[in-house]
């Protein structure tokens, strides 16, 4: 069971990192996120930080056996993940995905 969770987590982190590299280097964002994302490079860096945090948490969860080190490592990974999510949130347009002015 742990192996399947590890494989799934690594695949998700690699897909997230590939999308982040595409956003940072080429300015390309997935079609679903093109309209709401305003700062593409910041969004890409947020994705890269989140992908790194997922891998960081996975390493400290599966590889490290000392409980004190494991807790601090997972807590640090959670802080990194939150930083990446905040960076992705800040990169969105202030008005969101609205089409018009919002007035009927």
């Amino acid at each position: 069971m742990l192996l399947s969770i590890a494989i799934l987590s690594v695949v998700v982190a690699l897909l997230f990192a590939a999308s982040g590299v595409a956003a940072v280097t080429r300015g390309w964002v997935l079609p679903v996120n093109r309209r709401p994302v305003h700062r593409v490079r910041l969004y890409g860096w947020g994705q890269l930080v989140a992908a790194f945090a997922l891998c960081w948490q996975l390493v400290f969860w599966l590889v490290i056996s000392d409980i004190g080190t494991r807790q601090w490592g997972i807590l640090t990974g959670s802080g990194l993940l939150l930083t990446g999510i905040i960076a992705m949130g800040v990169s969105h347009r202030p008005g969101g995905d609205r089409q018009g002015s919002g007035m009927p």
Side-chain angles (χ1 to χ4, degrees):
M1 184 66 184
L2 285 178
L3 182 62
S4 62
I5 292 173
I7 291 172
L8 181 65
S9 299
V10 168
V11 167
V12 168
L14 285 175
L15 289 173
F16 223 53
S19 179
V21 167
V24 170
T25 59
R26 302 281 184 201
W28 184 83
V29 181
L30 289 170
V32 175
N33 294 331
R34 283 190 188 144
R35 183 170 283 150
V37 172
H38 182 63
R39 296 178 202 96
V40 176
R41 306 262 190 258
L42 179 61
Y43 187 78
W45 280 111
Q47 284 185 319
L48 286 173
V49 169
F52 178 75
L54 287 174
C55 290
W56 180 277
Q57 286 181 333
L58 189 66
V59 165
F60 274 92
W61 182 49
L62 294 177
V63 177
I64 306 299
S65 61
D66 181 38
I67 191 70
T69 307
R70 180 185 294 175
Q71 288 176 347
W72 280 107
I74 291 177
L75 183 65
T76 304
S78 298
L80 284 170
L81 185 62
L82 185 62
T83 303
I85 291 171
I86 288 172
M88 287 186 287
V90 168
S91 70
H92 281 138
R93 293 187 190 276
D97 193 20
R98 289 187 289 177
Q99 297 290 327
S101 64
M103 301 291 288

